[in-house]
Amino acid sequence: MTSPTGWTWRLLDASGAELDPADLDVEVPVEDAQAEAESWLGEHWRTLLERGAASATLLRGDAVVYGPMGLSAS
């Protein structure tokens, strides 16, 4: 569960189903600021893609801020 005001990512597979980050052997942090969360994704998107995530949705608490957005570079 995310904190009420923390920023984090929901990871999705190619069909749009939510993935458990533990199944991808990653820990998605809950950040204090949107820019920190976006920076984390910018640093880790390739690894997430390699491990089966196809897209990500930015959340603030439980509210969708934007997404899903594809992780593929193409």
Side-chain angles (χ1 to χ4, degrees):
M1 178 175 219
T2 60
S3 69
T5 59
W7 298 84
T8 193
W9 294 97
R10 177 182 297 147
L11 304 175
L12 308 167
D13 67 14
S15 72
E18 186 172 351
L19 296 168
D20 182 343
D23 291 342
L24 305 180
D25 198 27
V26 297
E27 184 175 331
V28 179
V30 177
E31 302 287 6
D32 292 330
Q34 181 176 352
E36 292 171 348
E38 290 170 339
S39 178
W40 180 87
L41 188 68
E43 294 171 12
H44 295 91
W45 69 270
R46 287 177 186 86
T47 300
L48 297 170
L49 189 61
E50 290 169 359
R51 295 182 184 182
S55 61
T57 298
L58 182 64
L59 304 173
R60 183 170 189 196
D62 293 327
V64 172
V65 177
Y66 63 78
M69 65 175 196
L71 298 178
S72 178
S74 59

Short mmCIF file of all heavy atoms in Angstrom, two decimals:
data_model
loop_
_atom_site.label_atom_id
_atom_site.label_comp_id
_atom_site.label_asym_id
_atom_site.label_seq_id
_atom_site.Cartn_x
_atom_site.Cartn_y
_atom_site.Cartn_z
N MET A 1 0.85 -1.19 0.00
CA MET A 1 0.00 0.00 0.00
C MET A 1 0.89 1.25 0.00
O MET A 1 1.89 1.30 0.69
CB MET A 1 -0.90 -0.03 1.22
CG MET A 1 -1.79 1.18 1.34
SD MET A 1 -2.91 0.97 2.73
CE MET A 1 -4.34 1.68 2.00
N THR A 2 0.50 2.23 -0.76
CA THR A 2 1.29 3.46 -0.84
C THR A 2 0.85 4.42 0.26
O THR A 2 -0.25 4.32 0.79
CB THR A 2 1.12 4.12 -2.22
OG1 THR A 2 -0.25 4.44 -2.41
CG2 THR A 2 1.62 3.23 -3.32
N SER A 3 1.75 5.35 0.59
CA SER A 3 1.40 6.35 1.58
C SER A 3 0.42 7.35 0.96
O SER A 3 0.36 7.48 -0.26
CB SER A 3 2.66 7.05 2.07
OG SER A 3 3.21 7.84 1.05
N PRO A 4 -0.33 8.09 1.77
CA PRO A 4 -1.35 8.99 1.22
C PRO A 4 -0.79 10.07 0.29
O PRO A 4 -1.48 10.51 -0.61
CB PRO A 4 -1.97 9.64 2.47
CG PRO A 4 -1.64 8.71 3.58
CD PRO A 4 -0.36 8.04 3.21
N THR A 5 0.43 10.50 0.50
CA THR A 5 0.97 11.56 -0.33
C THR A 5 2.25 11.16 -1.05
O THR A 5 2.82 11.98 -1.75
CB THR A 5 1.24 12.82 0.51
OG1 THR A 5 2.18 12.48 1.55
CG2 THR A 5 -0.02 13.36 1.12
N GLY A 6 2.70 9.93 -0.88
CA GLY A 6 3.93 9.50 -1.54
C GLY A 6 3.72 9.26 -3.03
O GLY A 6 2.61 8.99 -3.49
N TRP A 7 4.80 9.37 -3.77
CA TRP A 7 4.80 9.18 -5.23
C TRP A 7 5.46 7.85 -5.53
O TRP A 7 6.55 7.55 -5.05
CB TRP A 7 5.59 10.29 -5.89
CG TRP A 7 5.01 11.65 -5.68
CD1 TRP A 7 5.21 12.46 -4.59
CD2 TRP A 7 4.15 12.36 -6.56
NE1 TRP A 7 4.51 13.63 -4.76
CE2 TRP A 7 3.86 13.60 -5.95
CE3 TRP A 7 3.60 12.07 -7.81
CZ2 TRP A 7 3.04 14.54 -6.55
CZ3 TRP A 7 2.79 13.02 -8.40
CH2 TRP A 7 2.51 14.24 -7.79
N THR A 8 4.79 7.02 -6.34
CA THR A 8 5.34 5.71 -6.69
C THR A 8 4.80 5.27 -8.04
O THR A 8 4.04 5.98 -8.69
CB THR A 8 5.02 4.68 -5.58
OG1 THR A 8 5.80 3.51 -5.77
CG2 THR A 8 3.55 4.33 -5.54
N TRP A 9 5.23 4.10 -8.46
CA TRP A 9 4.86 3.57 -9.78
C TRP A 9 4.11 2.26 -9.65
O TRP A 9 4.47 1.41 -8.84
CB TRP A 9 6.11 3.34 -10.63
CG TRP A 9 6.80 4.60 -10.96
CD1 TRP A 9 7.88 5.14 -10.31
CD2 TRP A 9 6.47 5.51 -12.00
NE1 TRP A 9 8.23 6.34 -10.89
CE2 TRP A 9 7.39 6.59 -11.93
CE3 TRP A 9 5.50 5.54 -12.99
CZ2 TRP A 9 7.35 7.67 -12.81
CZ3 TRP A 9 5.46 6.61 -13.86
CH2 TRP A 9 6.38 7.65 -13.77
N ARG A 10 3.09 2.08 -10.48
CA ARG A 10 2.42 0.80 -10.67
C ARG A 10 2.98 0.24 -11.97
O ARG A 10 2.93 0.90 -13.02
CB ARG A 10 0.91 0.99 -10.77
CG ARG A 10 0.15 -0.30 -11.05
CD ARG A 10 -1.34 -0.04 -11.18
NE ARG A 10 -1.86 0.47 -9.93
CZ ARG A 10 -2.87 1.34 -9.85
NH1 ARG A 10 -3.46 1.81 -10.93
NH2 ARG A 10 -3.30 1.76 -8.68
N LEU A 11 3.51 -0.97 -11.92
CA LEU A 11 4.09 -1.61 -13.09
C LEU A 11 3.08 -2.54 -13.73
O LEU A 11 2.36 -3.27 -13.04
CB LEU A 11 5.35 -2.38 -12.69
CG LEU A 11 6.42 -1.55 -11.97
CD1 LEU A 11 7.56 -2.45 -11.51
CD2 LEU A 11 6.91 -0.42 -12.84
N LEU A 12 3.05 -2.53 -15.06
CA LEU A 12 2.07 -3.32 -15.81
C LEU A 12 2.77 -4.17 -16.86
O LEU A 12 3.80 -3.75 -17.43
CB LEU A 12 1.07 -2.39 -16.50
CG LEU A 12 0.39 -1.36 -15.59
CD1 LEU A 12 -0.33 -0.31 -16.42
CD2 LEU A 12 -0.55 -2.03 -14.63
N ASP A 13 2.19 -5.35 -17.15
CA ASP A 13 2.73 -6.17 -18.22
C ASP A 13 2.14 -5.74 -19.55
O ASP A 13 1.37 -4.78 -19.63
CB ASP A 13 2.53 -7.67 -17.93
CG ASP A 13 1.07 -8.11 -17.96
OD1 ASP A 13 0.19 -7.36 -18.45
OD2 ASP A 13 0.80 -9.23 -17.49
N ALA A 14 2.48 -6.45 -20.62
CA ALA A 14 2.04 -6.07 -21.96
C ALA A 14 0.52 -6.10 -22.12
O ALA A 14 -0.04 -5.36 -22.94
CB ALA A 14 2.70 -6.96 -23.00
N SER A 15 -0.17 -6.92 -21.32
CA SER A 15 -1.63 -6.99 -21.41
C SER A 15 -2.31 -5.94 -20.54
O SER A 15 -3.53 -5.82 -20.56
CB SER A 15 -2.11 -8.39 -20.99
OG SER A 15 -1.97 -8.56 -19.58
N GLY A 16 -1.52 -5.18 -19.76
CA GLY A 16 -2.09 -4.16 -18.89
C GLY A 16 -2.35 -4.65 -17.47
O GLY A 16 -2.87 -3.90 -16.65
N ALA A 17 -1.98 -5.90 -17.19
CA ALA A 17 -2.18 -6.44 -15.85
C ALA A 17 -1.09 -5.91 -14.92
O ALA A 17 0.07 -5.79 -15.31
CB ALA A 17 -2.14 -7.96 -15.88
N GLU A 18 -1.48 -5.62 -13.68
CA GLU A 18 -0.53 -5.11 -12.70
C GLU A 18 0.46 -6.20 -12.30
O GLU A 18 0.10 -7.36 -12.12
CB GLU A 18 -1.27 -4.60 -11.46
CG GLU A 18 -0.37 -3.93 -10.46
CD GLU A 18 -1.11 -3.24 -9.33
OE1 GLU A 18 -2.35 -3.12 -9.39
OE2 GLU A 18 -0.43 -2.82 -8.38
N LEU A 19 1.71 -5.81 -12.19
CA LEU A 19 2.78 -6.72 -11.78
C LEU A 19 3.18 -6.44 -10.34
O LEU A 19 3.20 -5.28 -9.91
CB LEU A 19 4.01 -6.53 -12.68
CG LEU A 19 3.84 -6.87 -14.14
CD1 LEU A 19 5.02 -6.35 -14.95
CD2 LEU A 19 3.70 -8.38 -14.30
N ASP A 20 3.55 -7.48 -9.63
CA ASP A 20 4.11 -7.34 -8.30
C ASP A 20 5.60 -7.08 -8.48
O ASP A 20 6.30 -7.92 -9.06
CB ASP A 20 3.89 -8.61 -7.50
CG ASP A 20 4.40 -8.54 -6.08
OD1 ASP A 20 5.23 -7.64 -5.75
OD2 ASP A 20 4.00 -9.39 -5.27
N PRO A 21 6.11 -5.93 -8.03
CA PRO A 21 7.54 -5.64 -8.20
C PRO A 21 8.45 -6.74 -7.66
O PRO A 21 9.51 -7.00 -8.24
CB PRO A 21 7.74 -4.32 -7.43
CG PRO A 21 6.40 -3.68 -7.45
CD PRO A 21 5.41 -4.82 -7.38
N ALA A 22 8.03 -7.41 -6.60
CA ALA A 22 8.85 -8.50 -6.04
C ALA A 22 9.03 -9.62 -7.06
O ALA A 22 10.09 -10.27 -7.09
CB ALA A 22 8.22 -9.04 -4.76
N ASP A 23 8.03 -9.86 -7.91
CA ASP A 23 8.15 -10.89 -8.95
C ASP A 23 9.19 -10.51 -9.99
O ASP A 23 9.70 -11.37 -10.71
CB ASP A 23 6.80 -11.14 -9.63
CG ASP A 23 5.79 -11.80 -8.71
OD1 ASP A 23 6.21 -12.38 -7.68
OD2 ASP A 23 4.59 -11.73 -9.01
N LEU A 24 9.48 -9.21 -10.11
CA LEU A 24 10.50 -8.72 -11.05
C LEU A 24 11.84 -8.52 -10.36
O LEU A 24 12.79 -8.06 -10.97
CB LEU A 24 10.05 -7.39 -11.67
CG LEU A 24 8.70 -7.37 -12.37
CD1 LEU A 24 8.43 -5.98 -12.92
CD2 LEU A 24 8.61 -8.41 -13.45
N ASP A 25 11.88 -8.85 -9.06
CA ASP A 25 13.08 -8.67 -8.24
C ASP A 25 13.51 -7.20 -8.18
O ASP A 25 14.68 -6.88 -8.30
CB ASP A 25 14.22 -9.56 -8.73
CG ASP A 25 15.31 -9.73 -7.69
OD1 ASP A 25 15.01 -9.63 -6.48
OD2 ASP A 25 16.48 -9.95 -8.08
N VAL A 26 12.52 -6.32 -8.03
CA VAL A 26 12.78 -4.89 -7.85
C VAL A 26 11.95 -4.37 -6.68
O VAL A 26 10.93 -4.96 -6.32
CB VAL A 26 12.47 -4.05 -9.11
CG1 VAL A 26 13.36 -4.43 -10.27
CG2 VAL A 26 11.02 -4.13 -9.49
N GLU A 27 12.39 -3.28 -6.11
CA GLU A 27 11.63 -2.59 -5.09
C GLU A 27 11.35 -1.19 -5.60
O GLU A 27 12.27 -0.41 -5.85
CB GLU A 27 12.42 -2.52 -3.78
CG GLU A 27 11.63 -1.91 -2.65
CD GLU A 27 12.37 -1.94 -1.33
OE1 GLU A 27 13.18 -2.85 -1.11
OE2 GLU A 27 12.13 -1.02 -0.53
N VAL A 28 10.08 -0.89 -5.79
CA VAL A 28 9.67 0.43 -6.27
C VAL A 28 9.53 1.34 -5.05
O VAL A 28 8.69 1.08 -4.19
CB VAL A 28 8.35 0.36 -7.06
CG1 VAL A 28 7.94 1.74 -7.54
CG2 VAL A 28 8.47 -0.61 -8.24
N PRO A 29 10.34 2.38 -4.96
CA PRO A 29 10.28 3.24 -3.77
C PRO A 29 9.06 4.15 -3.77
O PRO A 29 8.49 4.44 -4.82
CB PRO A 29 11.56 4.06 -3.88
CG PRO A 29 11.81 4.16 -5.34
CD PRO A 29 11.37 2.83 -5.92
N VAL A 30 8.70 4.60 -2.59
CA VAL A 30 7.71 5.66 -2.43
C VAL A 30 8.51 6.92 -2.15
O VAL A 30 9.22 7.00 -1.15
CB VAL A 30 6.72 5.36 -1.29
CG1 VAL A 30 5.75 6.51 -1.10
CG2 VAL A 30 5.97 4.06 -1.55
N GLU A 31 8.43 7.87 -3.06
CA GLU A 31 9.24 9.09 -2.97
C GLU A 31 8.42 10.24 -2.39
O GLU A 31 7.20 10.22 -2.42
CB GLU A 31 9.75 9.47 -4.36
CG GLU A 31 10.58 8.40 -5.05
CD GLU A 31 11.98 8.22 -4.47
OE1 GLU A 31 12.30 8.84 -3.44
OE2 GLU A 31 12.75 7.45 -5.04
N ASP A 32 9.13 11.25 -1.91
CA ASP A 32 8.48 12.43 -1.34
C ASP A 32 8.04 13.44 -2.41
O ASP A 32 7.20 14.29 -2.14
CB ASP A 32 9.42 13.15 -0.37
CG ASP A 32 9.67 12.32 0.88
OD1 ASP A 32 8.78 11.55 1.29
OD2 ASP A 32 10.78 12.44 1.45
N ALA A 33 8.63 13.36 -3.60
CA ALA A 33 8.35 14.33 -4.65
C ALA A 33 8.17 13.63 -5.99
O ALA A 33 8.80 12.60 -6.25
CB ALA A 33 9.47 15.36 -4.74
N GLN A 34 7.36 14.21 -6.84
CA GLN A 34 7.12 13.66 -8.18
C GLN A 34 8.42 13.54 -8.96
O GLN A 34 8.67 12.54 -9.61
CB GLN A 34 6.12 14.53 -8.93
CG GLN A 34 5.80 14.02 -10.32
CD GLN A 34 4.74 14.83 -11.02
OE1 GLN A 34 4.10 15.71 -10.43
NE2 GLN A 34 4.51 14.54 -12.28
N ALA A 35 9.26 14.56 -8.89
CA ALA A 35 10.52 14.55 -9.64
C ALA A 35 11.42 13.39 -9.21
O ALA A 35 12.10 12.79 -10.05
CB ALA A 35 11.26 15.88 -9.48
N GLU A 36 11.41 13.06 -7.92
CA GLU A 36 12.21 11.93 -7.44
C GLU A 36 11.70 10.61 -8.01
O GLU A 36 12.48 9.74 -8.40
CB GLU A 36 12.20 11.88 -5.92
CG GLU A 36 12.92 13.04 -5.27
CD GLU A 36 12.71 13.10 -3.76
OE1 GLU A 36 11.84 12.39 -3.23
OE2 GLU A 36 13.43 13.87 -3.11
N ALA A 37 10.38 10.45 -8.04
CA ALA A 37 9.79 9.23 -8.60
C ALA A 37 10.10 9.13 -10.09
O ALA A 37 10.47 8.06 -10.59
CB ALA A 37 8.28 9.21 -8.36
N GLU A 38 9.97 10.23 -10.80
CA GLU A 38 10.26 10.22 -12.24
C GLU A 38 11.74 9.94 -12.50
O GLU A 38 12.08 9.23 -13.44
CB GLU A 38 9.83 11.54 -12.86
CG GLU A 38 8.31 11.68 -12.89
CD GLU A 38 7.83 13.06 -13.27
OE1 GLU A 38 8.60 14.03 -13.15
OE2 GLU A 38 6.66 13.15 -13.69
N SER A 39 12.60 10.46 -11.67
CA SER A 39 14.03 10.20 -11.80
C SER A 39 14.33 8.71 -11.59
O SER A 39 15.11 8.11 -12.34
CB SER A 39 14.81 11.04 -10.79
OG SER A 39 16.19 10.77 -10.89
N TRP A 40 13.68 8.10 -10.59
CA TRP A 40 13.88 6.67 -10.34
C TRP A 40 13.49 5.87 -11.58
O TRP A 40 14.24 4.98 -12.00
CB TRP A 40 13.06 6.22 -9.13
CG TRP A 40 13.24 4.76 -8.85
CD1 TRP A 40 14.22 4.18 -8.09
CD2 TRP A 40 12.46 3.68 -9.39
NE1 TRP A 40 14.09 2.81 -8.12
CE2 TRP A 40 13.01 2.48 -8.92
CE3 TRP A 40 11.35 3.61 -10.22
CZ2 TRP A 40 12.50 1.23 -9.23
CZ3 TRP A 40 10.84 2.37 -10.55
CH2 TRP A 40 11.41 1.19 -10.06
N LEU A 41 12.33 6.17 -12.16
CA LEU A 41 11.91 5.42 -13.35
C LEU A 41 12.90 5.64 -14.50
O LEU A 41 13.23 4.70 -15.22
CB LEU A 41 10.50 5.82 -13.78
CG LEU A 41 9.92 4.93 -14.89
CD1 LEU A 41 9.67 3.52 -14.38
CD2 LEU A 41 8.65 5.54 -15.45
N GLY A 42 13.38 6.87 -14.64
CA GLY A 42 14.35 7.17 -15.69
C GLY A 42 15.64 6.37 -15.54
O GLY A 42 16.27 6.02 -16.53
N GLU A 43 15.99 6.05 -14.32
CA GLU A 43 17.21 5.27 -14.06
C GLU A 43 16.98 3.76 -14.19
O GLU A 43 17.94 3.02 -14.40
CB GLU A 43 17.73 5.58 -12.66
CG GLU A 43 18.21 7.00 -12.48
CD GLU A 43 18.51 7.35 -11.03
OE1 GLU A 43 18.57 6.43 -10.19
OE2 GLU A 43 18.69 8.54 -10.74
N HIS A 44 15.75 3.30 -14.05
CA HIS A 44 15.49 1.86 -13.96
C HIS A 44 14.60 1.28 -15.06
O HIS A 44 14.34 0.09 -15.08
CB HIS A 44 14.86 1.54 -12.59
CG HIS A 44 15.79 1.80 -11.46
ND1 HIS A 44 15.84 3.01 -10.80
CD2 HIS A 44 16.73 1.02 -10.88
CE1 HIS A 44 16.76 2.95 -9.85
NE2 HIS A 44 17.32 1.76 -9.89
N TRP A 45 14.13 2.10 -16.01
CA TRP A 45 13.16 1.60 -16.98
C TRP A 45 13.70 0.43 -17.81
O TRP A 45 12.96 -0.49 -18.13
CB TRP A 45 12.63 2.72 -17.88
CG TRP A 45 13.63 3.30 -18.84
CD1 TRP A 45 14.46 4.34 -18.62
CD2 TRP A 45 13.90 2.84 -20.17
NE1 TRP A 45 15.23 4.58 -19.73
CE2 TRP A 45 14.92 3.66 -20.70
CE3 TRP A 45 13.38 1.80 -20.97
CZ2 TRP A 45 15.43 3.48 -21.98
CZ3 TRP A 45 13.89 1.63 -22.25
CH2 TRP A 45 14.90 2.46 -22.74
N ARG A 46 14.98 0.46 -18.14
CA ARG A 46 15.54 -0.63 -18.96
C ARG A 46 15.48 -1.96 -18.20
O ARG A 46 15.11 -2.99 -18.76
CB ARG A 46 16.97 -0.32 -19.37
CG ARG A 46 17.08 0.75 -20.43
CD ARG A 46 18.56 1.07 -20.77
NE ARG A 46 18.69 2.18 -21.67
CZ ARG A 46 18.73 3.45 -21.31
NH1 ARG A 46 18.64 3.78 -20.03
NH2 ARG A 46 18.85 4.40 -22.21
N THR A 47 15.86 -1.92 -16.93
CA THR A 47 15.80 -3.13 -16.11
C THR A 47 14.37 -3.62 -15.98
O THR A 47 14.11 -4.83 -16.09
CB THR A 47 16.40 -2.86 -14.72
OG1 THR A 47 17.76 -2.45 -14.87
CG2 THR A 47 16.32 -4.08 -13.82
N LEU A 48 13.45 -2.72 -15.74
CA LEU A 48 12.04 -3.10 -15.61
C LEU A 48 11.54 -3.74 -16.90
O LEU A 48 10.85 -4.77 -16.86
CB LEU A 48 11.19 -1.87 -15.26
CG LEU A 48 11.50 -1.21 -13.92
CD1 LEU A 48 10.77 0.11 -13.80
CD2 LEU A 48 11.16 -2.13 -12.77
N LEU A 49 11.89 -3.16 -18.02
CA LEU A 49 11.49 -3.69 -19.32
C LEU A 49 12.07 -5.09 -19.53
O LEU A 49 11.36 -6.02 -19.94
CB LEU A 49 11.95 -2.74 -20.43
CG LEU A 49 11.46 -3.01 -21.84
CD1 LEU A 49 9.94 -2.95 -21.92
CD2 LEU A 49 12.08 -2.02 -22.81
N GLU A 50 13.35 -5.27 -19.22
CA GLU A 50 14.00 -6.58 -19.36
C GLU A 50 13.35 -7.65 -18.49
O GLU A 50 13.35 -8.82 -18.84
CB GLU A 50 15.48 -6.48 -19.00
CG GLU A 50 16.31 -5.70 -20.00
CD GLU A 50 17.71 -5.39 -19.49
OE1 GLU A 50 18.05 -5.77 -18.34
OE2 GLU A 50 18.47 -4.75 -20.24
N ARG A 51 12.80 -7.23 -17.37
CA ARG A 51 12.21 -8.19 -16.41
C ARG A 51 10.72 -8.41 -16.60
O ARG A 51 10.09 -9.13 -15.81
CB ARG A 51 12.52 -7.75 -14.99
CG ARG A 51 14.02 -7.80 -14.72
CD ARG A 51 14.36 -7.43 -13.32
NE ARG A 51 15.82 -7.41 -13.16
CZ ARG A 51 16.44 -7.15 -12.04
NH1 ARG A 51 15.74 -6.91 -10.94
NH2 ARG A 51 17.75 -7.13 -11.98
N GLY A 52 10.13 -7.77 -17.62
CA GLY A 52 8.75 -8.07 -17.96
C GLY A 52 7.75 -6.95 -17.83
O GLY A 52 6.58 -7.13 -18.18
N ALA A 53 8.15 -5.80 -17.31
CA ALA A 53 7.22 -4.67 -17.25
C ALA A 53 7.17 -4.01 -18.63
O ALA A 53 8.19 -3.82 -19.27
CB ALA A 53 7.67 -3.66 -16.20
N ALA A 54 5.97 -3.69 -19.09
CA ALA A 54 5.80 -3.05 -20.39
C ALA A 54 5.44 -1.57 -20.25
O ALA A 54 5.71 -0.78 -21.15
CB ALA A 54 4.72 -3.77 -21.19
N SER A 55 4.82 -1.21 -19.12
CA SER A 55 4.43 0.18 -18.90
C SER A 55 4.38 0.46 -17.41
O SER A 55 4.44 -0.44 -16.58
CB SER A 55 3.07 0.46 -19.56
OG SER A 55 2.06 -0.35 -18.99
N ALA A 56 4.25 1.75 -17.09
CA ALA A 56 4.19 2.18 -15.70
C ALA A 56 3.20 3.33 -15.57
O ALA A 56 3.05 4.15 -16.47
CB ALA A 56 5.57 2.62 -15.22
N THR A 57 2.55 3.38 -14.42
CA THR A 57 1.60 4.43 -14.10
C THR A 57 2.08 5.13 -12.83
O THR A 57 2.37 4.46 -11.83
CB THR A 57 0.19 3.84 -13.87
OG1 THR A 57 -0.24 3.23 -15.08
CG2 THR A 57 -0.80 4.90 -13.45
N LEU A 58 2.17 6.45 -12.87
CA LEU A 58 2.59 7.22 -11.71
C LEU A 58 1.40 7.43 -10.78
O LEU A 58 0.32 7.83 -11.21
CB LEU A 58 3.16 8.58 -12.12
CG LEU A 58 3.67 9.45 -10.98
CD1 LEU A 58 4.87 8.81 -10.28
CD2 LEU A 58 4.05 10.84 -11.50
N LEU A 59 1.64 7.14 -9.50
CA LEU A 59 0.61 7.29 -8.47
C LEU A 59 1.07 8.29 -7.42
O LEU A 59 2.25 8.34 -7.08
CB LEU A 59 0.34 5.96 -7.77
CG LEU A 59 -0.06 4.78 -8.64
CD1 LEU A 59 -0.11 3.52 -7.79
CD2 LEU A 59 -1.39 5.03 -9.31
N ARG A 60 0.13 9.04 -6.91
CA ARG A 60 0.35 9.82 -5.69
C ARG A 60 -0.64 9.28 -4.69
O ARG A 60 -1.85 9.48 -4.83
CB ARG A 60 0.14 11.31 -5.90
CG ARG A 60 0.45 12.07 -4.63
CD ARG A 60 0.50 13.55 -4.84
NE ARG A 60 1.02 14.18 -3.62
CZ ARG A 60 0.90 15.47 -3.37
NH1 ARG A 60 0.30 16.25 -4.24
NH2 ARG A 60 1.37 15.96 -2.25
N GLY A 61 -0.11 8.55 -3.71
CA GLY A 61 -1.00 7.78 -2.85
C GLY A 61 -1.65 6.71 -3.71
O GLY A 61 -0.96 5.97 -4.41
N ASP A 62 -2.96 6.66 -3.71
CA ASP A 62 -3.68 5.69 -4.54
C ASP A 62 -4.25 6.32 -5.80
O ASP A 62 -4.92 5.65 -6.59
CB ASP A 62 -4.82 5.06 -3.73
CG ASP A 62 -4.29 4.19 -2.59
OD1 ASP A 62 -3.23 3.57 -2.76
OD2 ASP A 62 -4.94 4.14 -1.53
N ALA A 63 -4.01 7.61 -6.02
CA ALA A 63 -4.57 8.32 -7.17
C ALA A 63 -3.61 8.27 -8.36
O ALA A 63 -2.41 8.53 -8.21
CB ALA A 63 -4.85 9.77 -6.80
N VAL A 64 -4.15 7.97 -9.53
CA VAL A 64 -3.35 7.98 -10.75
C VAL A 64 -3.06 9.42 -11.15
O VAL A 64 -3.96 10.24 -11.26
CB VAL A 64 -4.10 7.25 -11.89
CG1 VAL A 64 -3.36 7.42 -13.21
CG2 VAL A 64 -4.28 5.78 -11.55
N VAL A 65 -1.77 9.72 -11.35
CA VAL A 65 -1.36 11.04 -11.81
C VAL A 65 -1.28 11.03 -13.34
O VAL A 65 -1.82 11.90 -14.00
CB VAL A 65 0.00 11.45 -11.20
CG1 VAL A 65 0.47 12.79 -11.72
CG2 VAL A 65 -0.11 11.47 -9.67
N TYR A 66 -0.60 10.02 -13.89
CA TYR A 66 -0.61 9.81 -15.33
C TYR A 66 -0.16 8.39 -15.65
O TYR A 66 0.43 7.72 -14.84
CB TYR A 66 0.22 10.84 -16.10
CG TYR A 66 1.73 10.85 -15.81
CD1 TYR A 66 2.58 9.90 -16.36
CD2 TYR A 66 2.26 11.83 -15.01
CE1 TYR A 66 3.95 9.94 -16.11
CE2 TYR A 66 3.62 11.89 -14.76
CZ TYR A 66 4.46 10.93 -15.31
OH TYR A 66 5.81 10.97 -15.06
N GLY A 67 -0.45 7.99 -16.87
CA GLY A 67 -0.08 6.67 -17.34
C GLY A 67 -1.32 5.84 -17.60
O GLY A 67 -2.44 6.31 -17.39
N PRO A 68 -1.11 4.65 -18.06
CA PRO A 68 0.19 4.01 -18.21
C PRO A 68 0.98 4.57 -19.41
O PRO A 68 0.39 4.97 -20.40
CB PRO A 68 -0.14 2.55 -18.42
CG PRO A 68 -1.52 2.53 -18.97
CD PRO A 68 -2.21 3.75 -18.41
N MET A 69 2.27 4.60 -19.21
CA MET A 69 3.16 5.00 -20.32
C MET A 69 4.11 3.85 -20.59
O MET A 69 4.58 3.16 -19.68
CB MET A 69 3.92 6.28 -19.99
CG MET A 69 4.88 6.19 -18.85
SD MET A 69 5.77 7.74 -18.73
CE MET A 69 7.10 7.22 -17.70
N GLY A 70 4.34 3.62 -21.87
CA GLY A 70 5.20 2.52 -22.29
C GLY A 70 6.64 2.72 -21.88
O GLY A 70 7.14 3.84 -21.85
N LEU A 71 7.30 1.62 -21.56
CA LEU A 71 8.72 1.66 -21.19
C LEU A 71 9.64 1.41 -22.38
O LEU A 71 10.82 1.67 -22.29
CB LEU A 71 9.00 0.63 -20.09
CG LEU A 71 8.26 0.83 -18.78
CD1 LEU A 71 8.59 -0.29 -17.81
CD2 LEU A 71 8.58 2.19 -18.18
N SER A 72 9.08 0.91 -23.48
CA SER A 72 9.90 0.62 -24.65
C SER A 72 10.43 1.90 -25.28
O SER A 72 9.73 2.91 -25.35
CB SER A 72 9.05 -0.14 -25.68
OG SER A 72 9.81 -0.39 -26.83
N ALA A 73 11.68 1.86 -25.73
CA ALA A 73 12.30 3.03 -26.35
C ALA A 73 11.74 3.30 -27.74
O ALA A 73 11.90 4.39 -28.26
CB ALA A 73 13.81 2.83 -26.42
N SER A 74 11.09 2.31 -28.34
CA SER A 74 10.60 2.49 -29.71
C SER A 74 9.23 3.13 -29.76
O SER A 74 8.53 3.23 -28.82
CB SER A 74 10.56 1.16 -30.44
OG SER A 74 9.74 0.24 -29.76
#
